Amino acid sequence: QVPDALAKEGPVSPSYDWFQTDSLVTIVIYTKQKDVNLDSVIVDHQYDSFRAETIIKDYSYLIHIELSHAIQEDFSVRVVANVGKIEIVLKKKENTSWECLGHPLENHNSLIPKKDTGLYYRKCQLISKEDATHDTKLFCLMLPPSTHLQVPIGQHVYLKLTIAGTEIVKPYTPVSASLLSEFKEPVIPNNKYIYFLIKIYPAGLFTPELDHLQIGDFVSVSNPEGNFKISQFQELEDLFLLAAGTGFTPMVKILNYALTNISSLRKVKLMFFNKTEDDIIWRSQLEKLAFKDKRFDVEFVLSKPTSEWNGKRGHISLDLLSEFLKRSSDKSKVLICICGPMPFTEQGMRMLHDLNFSKDEIHGFTA
Ligand code: FAD
Ligand code: NAD
């Protein structure tokens, strides 16, 4: 029986079908939604389980089966957005005819509120690790060939390591490989690489272990989570980003996406709060981007500067914000994103309300 709340508020349940040729098996998911894209589906083939999780609003539709025959490691995923159809094309190991797709596993063919689904992990390999500052590193992880996963802008994943016999899990926000297109890797099919900027805390529980991994070692990576929505960019004219320390991480993809895809955008301003100059992540890339793209400006604010620092000083304050948050016109459509240590984000959000920005104009990363 369908629970009342689901019947009233939840989306119509997707359905699926499959067909085959001599060499291929295609699973088709009819989402019955229009706004699906390659971020909407996460596919994993691990051990004996084939799993395709389709995200529809706050729900998750799961295909979960033990396939009846062996398939090759890699597969392709296509989306026909205008009809809301997702196709997963599997390559058979042997060219025999399959009588059935396989046996259903837990929650197969069901639509469940996302909050009730557990996190699913796959093991990713550490490909590279470079210094971004004295204590923050850019990690590159590679997804297994049997996974299709793209982390949506503004969302995070959980990394999991077993430390002294106990599984430890912490959230991290993927970034782009760089802020400047000339430094970017050539376009890699299937987005197999995920980049993270992670600060190593010498007395921390998780990050020293992560730092001790060797190239080639594995870390488990979860499905994405988070409530930032790309629709918040619609018709956007002014984008203000308030970041403190590693709270810069969600701003990286937001910046790249907004400057590349939002044609209505007039101005993007980042106010970046750090303790010292040495703590500023990707300072020279930010300065180059500001030089290259006239719509973008960056301002650094230091809470523990040396006496030589000529820029702004102190913590987040009403004075700093009211001077910084100038709309390009009276009625311009504005979005303010804020992320950093909890007290920073909470104080900042209170100040933004005091400055009469509405709830819809503020996105706080408070997860
Ligand atoms: P912890 O063990 O949590 O310790 C952190 C610091 O606090 C250390 O300096 C430690 O010495 C100190 N400390 C610990 N316990 C105490 C105590 N009782 N009293 C005083 N001090 C103490 N971080 C990133 O670097 N990059 C990201 O992209 C990123 N994304 C995030 C996304 C989300 C949604 C959230 C919520 C957090 C994100 N973080 C990110 C932070 C990350 O999840 C971890 O909190 C961080 O890496 C610290 O982990 P740790 O286990 O190494 O340190
Ligand atoms: P940090 O200690 O280096 O501080 C950076 C700046 O934050 C300081 O210069 C100061 O301006 C401000 N700040 C710090 N504590 C403050 C306080 N109590 N009140 C007001 N302002 C304060 O920062 P860090 O070590 O890089 O930590 C970054 C934080 O961002 C972590 O707590 C991390 O969990 C969080 N984070 C959250 C997300 C998310 O999506 N929710 C993503 C990335 C990082």
Side-chain angles (χ1 to χ4, degrees):
Q1 202 187 330
V2 182
D4 269 2
L6 190 70
K8 278 188 202 135
E9 293 159 29
V12 181
S13 181
S15 60
Y16 80 102
D17 200 357
W18 70 286
F19 57 87
Q20 61 185 316
T21 64
D22 280 353
S23 57
L24 304 174
V25 168
T26 302
I27 300 174
V28 188
I29 301 166
Y30 302 99
T31 67
K32 300 170 191 166
Q33 303 288 316
K34 285 215 167 113
D35 52 355
V36 288
N37 55 48
L38 282 170
D39 296 355
S40 315
V41 64
I42 300 161
V43 187
D44 289 277
H45 185 222
Q46 289 202 76
Y47 316 110
D48 286 331
S49 127
F50 178 86
R51 207 176 171 282
E53 185 173 343
T54 306
I55 311 300
I56 294 166
K57 302 204 168 82
D58 296 329
Y59 288 80
S60 152
Y61 172 72
L62 194 67
I63 304 253
H64 193 196
I65 17 194
E66 182 183 339
L67 296 173
S68 63
H69 293 70
I71 56 168
Q72 293 178 34
E73 244 188 353
D74 61 317
F75 47 76
S76 60
V77 179
R78 291 196 297 247
V79 167
V80 190
N82 57 350
V83 289
K85 194 168 79 169
I86 296 168
E87 290 181 342
I88 306 162
V89 185
L90 312 175
K91 296 178 199 155
K92 292 180 179 174
K93 258 209 174 127
E94 286 167 20
N95 289 358
T96 50
S97 174
W98 294 19
E99 274 171 25
C100 68
L101 187 58
H103 304 287
L105 297 172
E106 197 186 356
N107 290 332
H108 172 59
N109 199 17
S110 63
L111 182 71
I112 306 172
K114 239 190 126 186
K115 61 177 173 41
D116 299 340
T117 63
L119 282 173
Y120 186 79
Y121 289 86
R122 69 286 297 150
K123 288 203 167 104
C124 295
Q125 205 170 17
L126 179 63
I127 297 299
S128 64
K129 183 174 87 171
E130 318 169 350
D131 288 342
T133 69
H134 63 99
D135 60 4
T136 301
K137 298 186 182 178
L138 181 68
F139 290 81
C140 174
L141 300 182
M142 184 173 68
L143 289 163
S146 51
T147 293
H148 165 90
L149 185 161
Q150 291 182 182
V151 182
I153 291 166
Q155 296 202 8
H156 53 272
V157 295
Y158 293 84
L159 299 186
K160 181 167 79 178
L161 286 173
T162 302
I163 301 171
T166 308
E167 284 189 343
I168 308 288
V169 163
K170 297 265 167 148
Y172 295 94
T173 313
V175 295
S176 327
S178 98
L179 282 172
L180 301 158
S181 48
E182 63 257 40
F183 293 163
K184 273 186 207 153
E185 310 263 317
V187 179
I188 299 148
N190 299 329
N191 295 311
K192 283 291 172 202
Y193 297 95
I194 308 186
Y195 294 86
F196 296 94
L197 281 165
I198 298 180
K199 182 185 279 199
I200 311 299
Y201 297 90
L205 180 59
F206 190 81
T207 50
E209 288 294 321
L210 194 67
D211 195 29
H212 289 147
L213 293 181
Q214 304 292 312
I215 303 303
D217 284 350
F218 288 89
V219 192
S220 294
V221 177
S222 78
N223 287 3
E225 272 195 350
N227 50 21
F228 185 84
K229 296 207 169 50
I230 216 156
S231 56
Q232 290 170 267
F233 289 135
Q234 256 166 33
E235 313 289 317
L236 194 67
E237 295 171 84
D238 297 330
L239 174 62
F240 297 106
L241 308 173
L242 305 170
T246 58
F248 172 60
T249 53
M251 309 309 176
V252 172
K253 284 196 187 183
I254 288 179
L255 250 177
N256 273 343
Y257 181 87
L259 289 172
T260 320
N261 297 293
I262 310 301
S263 53
S264 51
L265 201 67
R266 291 199 210 152
K267 201 159 76 177
V268 183
K269 285 173 74 178
L270 166 69
M271 189 170 254
F272 195 1
F273 297 81
N274 284 281
K275 292 190 292 241
T276 69
E277 274 184 271
D278 290 346
D279 296 321
I280 303 174
I281 301 170
W282 285 0
R283 178 179 181 174
S284 76
Q285 287 196 50
L286 285 164
E287 286 169 342
K288 279 188 192 138
L289 185 63
F291 181 76
K292 218 179 79 174
D293 193 321
K294 292 296 161 227
R295 295 168 301 169
F296 176 62
D297 276 321
V298 57
E299 182 133 41
F300 301 111
V301 183
L302 300 183
S303 58
K304 292 181 183 167
T306 59
S307 52
E308 286 99 72
W309 176 249
N310 294 321
K312 294 222 154 43
R313 293 159 182 258
H315 280 248
I316 193 164
S317 66
L318 268 175
D319 280 352
L320 274 177
L321 293 184
S322 56
E323 189 194 321
F324 182 70
L325 300 168
K326 296 253 164 41
R327 292 171 188 262
S328 60
S329 72
D330 275 359
K331 288 190 180 149
S332 66
K333 187 167 178 231
V334 175
L335 178 67
I336 307 168
C337 297
I338 177 163
C339 187
M342 262 316 204
F344 166 88
T345 308
E346 282 170 357
Q347 287 169 32
M349 287 178 70
R350 272 200 300 275
M351 291 172 195
L352 294 172
H353 289 299
D354 292 347
L355 290 169
N356 290 323
F357 289 98
S358 71
K359 273 207 173 103
D360 292 345
E361 292 175 324
I362 305 169
H363 185 92
F365 287 85
T366 50

